[in-house]
Amino acid sequence: MAAPLVPGRRHLRDGISTLIPQGVGLPDAAFSARHGLLRVVLAGHLPALAVFGMVRGYDPSHVLLEVSPILATVLAERLSRTQRWRALWVTGGLAWCSTVLVHLSGGQIEAHFHYFVVVGLIALYQRWLPFVWALGFTVASHGIGTMIAPASMFNHPAAINRPWLWAGIHGGAVLAATITQIVFWSAAEREQHRVEELSDDLVATARENASQRARFESLVANAFDGVAIVCPAGDVRWQSPAMARIMGTRPGGALVDVVREGDADRLEVALAAAGRGDASERLMVRCGTDDPRWIELSLVDLTANPDVGGIVVNARDVTAHRKAEHDLAWQAHHDALTGLPNRAKLDQLLADLATGPDADRNLAVMFVDVDDFKHVNDRLGHSVGDQLLRDVGRRLREVVRHQDVVARLGGDEFVVLCTDAGTTEEVLVVAGRIASALDDPFQIDGATVAVTASIGVALHHPDQPVEELLRHADLAMYAAKDQGRDRIEVFDHTRHLTDHRAGLHDELQVAIEVGQLRVHYQPIVSIESRAVRGLEALVRWEHPERGMVSPAEFIPLAEVTGLIVPLGTVVLETACADLVRWDPHGDTTVSVNVSGVQLQRSSFAPTVERVLAQTGLDPRRLTLEITETVVVGDDAVVGTNIDRVTALGVRLAMDDFGTGYSALVTLKRYAFDIVKVDREFVAGLSEHSSDAAIVRAVIGLAHALGMEVVAEGIEHADQLAALAAIGSDFGQGYAFGRPVALEALPPASGVGWAIAPAPAVTTAS
């Protein structure tokens, strides 16, 4: 193993290695430049040597013979294609030029310097092969010339007498020149490497800058937002393509010129503020005249930045966003069918009037209800019914005063808010115009539709909450219906407030708030096995003075006054919590009745989701019972609520099936799981063959559609036998048990509990 170098020797070796060039040659451009120079020098030697030879007295043929190898190297160089051979031919030609010059000069010592010049010139190639070839030719020519004809190489007597000494002297000089050339060559090569590295860095930087610029230009050219640079005066100095598309600006033009007049002043103020170096400005302006576009501008002052030198304006077209916001706001406060303000908008207007600067102005509310609208829907179809509602809304707008507001609460109920009511007589004049306008028949799809309206009028009194106006108008409208419909009834403060209905409303509201409502449960039983499949939740009102108030008395009132929404929520919460407590691990279901008013509220589905989450009840154990009259029509809110609750896994039951006119259409539209046969048909099973045929048809239809059937109002054993014979799945009624409180139910077991039918009774459920 070789001994490692000591540090001093290593440094010496490294120092020497740095003095020796690599000899890898030149780049194409540098080689072409240097080689062209050397080729010209070579070609120039031909006439120069010829003239020199003839001046020296040589015969032209002799001179031609001596320079002919040089001519051959010139021709060979022209025919070569690679750098190596082209360099070698030029090297050989120049070396031969040195030999010819020495020979034609008669061996003058000064002519030998041509060899040194040639070696230096060939070093310009920075290639070892030409350099060694030039050096070797010089040494060989001196050695051969010295041996053959010393007098032709040296004209000095001392050199002729001692040729090898002088050849050695010349060799030493050539060696010294060679070493010098190598040192300079190495230095040039290192410098060239540094230049190349620097050039590579510059090229890489230039490429990166070009790439970044191209990327920036591509991003700017394809950006949705526009960018411009403007001077503080507002003139556009530069802009992106999107800026011209969004705002219609042009370089050299004024930015404010493309903005609508109403926004130009604000833009000028914002430009001035940004030009003073204030924080970035942001504002909304409109561009265009026929179809103005909303543009969001942000301004940032970069005047002090030499690369920008102006105010940068970013522009974004937010027209679609503004329109979407406007549409959403409009939809939230307007009825989709008629375009009139809805209940939310009406409540907002009433609240504003109650707290605004005109809170003491005269107000009046007219509650307009189309009489027998349900029969129009059932007889002529929902498309005609919808068009009728639109036409009613249009006529109402036409006959009221310009300051009055017409709203639709839902269904066939409209409200007219008189914001400057004046006297009672003036309000009644408006109400009379409404009644007269609706008396004229409507022409819809070739059909003549005649309707009337019951109108309840309520006027605002001092110290009376504005919110009560709507309730009072509603009570007056129901009074008009009670007195025969197609009439106008003015709310009488002394008469209507003592009315049993009004008092019941207030008490029901208190009952909901303080917890007077009770939920009782009636079993739903399998007709084949007599096992309890589920429970129907039925609300009861335990009045502190009147005792149990009949649902038939307070449920309709709750529906018309909107109290059915909080009442229904109480029933749903109680029923779900009770079932989890009574049968936590079983599969018994609970059925809860849902009114149309609840389904028309966008809060219904979220309420169901919240109750299921809070109680932990499996959604598949909850059944919502809906009458077919609730889901007729194309109410988008109703459809959305039904879709959301069924997506949870909640089951739907159509209650009182067969009592309406659109049951088949409704079954097709919504994915009902259960059909409940109305008690009216069950009651006549044993007496009327037509009732039996209807029930048989309903059961067959439901089973064909994959639905279960629950027969309501079973009171006798013969009804139960008839239902078993025609294939009803489940039954419900006094034959199995009356509605009772949760505490009165027998304990639930894992498989349900079977009960025998009770003796026949005659009391209606």
Side-chain angles (χ1 to χ4, degrees):
M1 180 180 295
L5 293 175
V6 297
R9 293 181 180 179
R10 185 183 301 113
H11 292 324
L12 178 61
R13 183 197 64 182
D14 294 341
I16 294 174
S17 65
T18 59
L19 297 177
I20 300 176
Q22 296 180 358
V24 295
L26 298 168
D28 290 343
F31 175 85
S32 297
R34 296 186 183 185
H35 178 74
L37 173 64
L38 295 179
R39 185 172 58 190
V40 170
V41 171
L42 174 62
H45 275 75
L46 286 171
L49 289 174
V51 171
F52 181 73
M54 288 186 289
V55 170
R56 292 284 296 176
Y58 288 97
D59 185 76
S61 59
H62 179 81
V63 174
L64 179 62
L65 181 64
E66 294 232 12
V67 300
S68 58
I70 302 173
L71 179 61
T73 60
V74 171
L75 295 176
E77 186 277 333
R78 299 299 295 175
L79 296 176
S80 298
R81 293 291 179 263
T82 64
Q83 289 187 11
R84 173 185 296 178
W85 283 106
R86 294 172 71 185
L88 287 175
W89 284 119
V90 169
T91 300
L94 289 174
W96 187 254
C97 288
S98 297
T99 301
V100 171
L101 178 63
V102 170
H103 180 261
L104 293 178
S105 67
Q108 292 186 14
I109 298 300
E110 292 80 0
H112 286 264
F113 287 102
H114 193 277
Y115 281 105
F116 303 154
V117 174
V118 168
V119 172
L121 288 175
I122 299 305
L124 293 175
Y125 280 124
Q126 296 183 196
R127 282 179 176 268
W128 278 113
L129 187 59
F131 185 79
V132 171
W133 167 235
L135 185 62
F137 188 92
T138 300
V139 173
S141 63
H142 276 76
I144 294 173
T146 299
M147 287 188 298
I148 296 176
S152 65
M153 293 296 297
F154 307 106
N155 65 352
H156 194 278
I160 296 173
N161 295 327
R162 305 179 67 180
W164 287 107
L165 175 62
W166 283 89
I169 293 172
H170 279 265
V174 170
L175 178 62
T178 300
I179 294 173
T180 302
Q181 293 296 335
I182 289 175
V183 171
F184 282 107
W185 175 8
S186 178
E189 198 174 70
R190 290 196 300 272
E191 185 63 25
Q192 178 184 337
H193 288 166
R194 284 194 293 270
V195 171
E196 289 176 351
E197 290 176 355
L198 179 60
S199 177
D200 290 342
D201 292 341
L202 292 176
V203 170
T205 302
R207 287 177 178 173
E208 178 64 23
N209 291 338
S211 176
Q212 291 182 357
R213 182 178 181 84
R215 187 182 303 115
F216 168 77
E217 291 177 349
S218 177
L219 290 173
V220 170
N222 295 281
F224 288 106
D225 295 348
V227 182
I229 300 175
V230 303
C231 63
D235 295 334
V236 179
R237 294 172 46 196
W238 174 90
Q239 67 178 18
S240 67
M243 193 70 177
R245 184 182 70 252
I246 293 173
M247 296 193 68
T249 54
R250 58 180 178 80
L255 187 63
V256 295
D257 288 347
V258 300
V259 177
R260 296 189 67 174
E261 184 176 355
D263 299 328
D265 293 341
R266 295 190 301 111
L267 178 56
E268 289 181 344
V269 172
L271 285 170
R276 293 192 299 268
D278 293 352
S280 60
E281 296 286 328
R282 188 180 296 270
L283 71 158
M284 198 81 67
V285 298
R286 290 164 296 171
C287 292
T289 53
D290 297 335
D291 187 16
R293 303 180 310 280
W294 283 97
I295 311 298
E296 183 183 46
L297 297 179
S298 62
L299 291 71
V300 181
D301 181 24
L302 293 180
T303 307
N305 187 327
D307 296 327
V308 180
I311 299 173
V312 177
V313 179
N314 290 277
R316 173 174 296 180
D317 190 335
V318 294
T319 305
H321 181 68
R322 293 271 299 195
K323 184 179 183 301
E325 286 184 340
H326 177 270
D327 291 345
L328 286 174
W330 191 91
Q331 292 171 12
H333 292 93
H334 289 81
D335 173 54
L337 180 64
T338 63
L340 297 173
N342 59 12
R343 177 62 180 265
K345 182 64 175 179
L346 182 64
D347 289 342
Q348 179 183 332
L349 288 173
L350 287 171
D352 292 343
L353 291 171
T355 59
D358 298 326
D360 58 346
R361 72 194 315 180
N362 293 329
L363 301 176
V365 168
M366 285 179 277
F367 206 113
V368 182
D369 185 89
V370 180
D371 297 327
D372 295 325
F373 175 73
K374 179 178 180 299
H375 294 299
V376 175
N377 261 343
D378 295 339
R379 180 168 55 89
L380 300 177
H382 300 293
S383 61
V384 173
D386 289 346
Q387 186 58 49
L388 174 62
L389 293 174
R390 284 191 285 266
D391 290 346
V392 168
R394 176 178 53 80
R395 289 192 184 181
L396 291 178
R397 287 196 301 268
E398 291 173 350
V399 299
V400 300
R401 301 170 305 177
H402 69 87
Q403 70 266 32
D404 298 334
V405 178
V406 180
R408 179 185 177 223
L409 298 190
D412 57 355
E413 296 177 339
F414 296 83
V415 168
V416 176
L417 172 61
C418 300
T419 57
D420 191 6
T423 63
T424 303
E425 290 73 17
E426 291 174 327
V427 176
L428 290 177
V429 168
V430 177
R433 289 205 301 265
I434 292 174
S436 298
L438 299 184
D439 283 342
D440 293 336
F442 294 84
Q443 301 298 324
I444 303 174
D445 293 342
T448 300
V449 182
V451 297
T452 59
S454 299
I455 304 174
V457 180
L459 283 81
H460 182 249
H461 295 283
D463 302 326
Q464 175 193 15
V466 175
E467 295 79 7
E468 290 188 2
L469 268 177
L470 193 60
R471 185 169 70 89
H472 291 171
D474 180 41
L475 292 173
M477 183 273 293
Y478 273 98
K481 283 190 176 294
D482 291 342
Q483 296 179 39
R485 305 182 180 184
D486 189 18
R487 60 182 292 117
I488 301 170
E489 180 74 15
V490 179
F491 178 77
D492 187 322
H493 201 267
T494 58
R495 179 164 61 92
H496 288 104
L497 282 184
T498 58
D499 184 82
H500 174 70
R501 188 184 187 93
L504 198 63
H505 171 275
D506 295 338
E507 293 180 1
L508 178 59
Q509 188 169 13
V510 173
I512 296 172
E513 295 172 354
V514 302
Q516 295 176 2
L517 299 180
R518 303 289 180 265
V519 179
H520 288 190
Y521 300 94
Q522 187 174 39
I524 300 173
V525 180
S526 169
I527 291 180
E528 180 180 359
S529 66
R530 303 297 195 271
V532 172
R533 173 262 178 87
L535 306 172
E536 180 177 0
L538 301 168
V539 65
R540 298 292 184 261
W541 180 5
E542 188 176 351
H543 195 282
E545 298 176 359
R546 304 180 186 180
M548 285 294 182
V549 181
S550 170
E553 186 175 358
F554 67 85
I555 292 296
L557 176 65
E559 289 183 341
V560 300
T561 59
L563 288 178
I564 193 66
V565 175
L567 186 150
T569 301
V570 171
V571 175
L572 180 66
E573 292 172 341
T574 304
C576 292
D578 283 352
L579 184 64
V580 171
R581 186 166 68 255
W582 180 71
D583 187 14
H585 305 297
D587 57 1
T588 312
T589 63
V590 64
S591 300
V592 178
N593 291 277
V594 178
S595 77
V597 178
Q598 291 174 269
L599 279 176
Q600 288 170 349
R601 299 294 179 89
S602 59
S603 60
F604 176 72
T607 298
V608 175
E609 295 170 351
R610 175 184 59 79
V611 171
L612 290 173
Q614 288 179 348
T615 60
L617 180 66
D618 185 343
R620 294 171 296 181
R621 298 180 67 190
L622 173 63
T623 301
L624 301 179
E625 295 192 6
I626 306 170
T627 60
E628 63 184 82
T629 56
V630 169
V631 289
V632 295
D634 296 317
D635 193 310
V637 177
V638 172
T640 300
N641 279 324
I642 291 179
D643 290 341
R644 285 185 61 175
V645 297
T646 53
L648 296 172
V650 175
R651 290 158 56 89
L652 291 183
M654 177 174 282
D655 199 10
D656 300 335
F657 184 82
T659 58
Y661 298 92
S662 305
L664 295 181
V665 176
T666 307
L667 284 178
K668 178 182 177 181
R669 183 176 302 156
Y670 299 107
F672 281 89
D673 304 284
I674 303 167
V675 170
K676 300 192 75 172
V677 181
D678 188 72
R679 66 183 67 247
E680 178 181 345
F681 301 110
V682 174
L685 274 178
S686 58
E687 301 176 1
H688 305 290
S689 59
S690 60
D691 287 346
I694 291 174
V695 175
R696 186 178 294 107
V698 170
I699 293 174
L701 173 64
H703 287 169
L705 295 176
M707 302 178 186
E708 298 174 346
V709 178
V710 177
E712 296 183 291
I714 303 175
E715 299 182 354
H716 306 292
D718 52 355
Q719 294 171 340
L720 182 60
L723 289 168
I726 59 180
S728 179
D729 301 303
F730 302 97
Q732 180 180 355
Y734 284 177
F736 298 107
R738 294 176 177 271
V740 294
L742 182 72
E743 295 76 14
L745 290 175
S749 65
V751 296
W753 35 274
I755 57 175
V761 293
T762 58
T763 305
S765 61

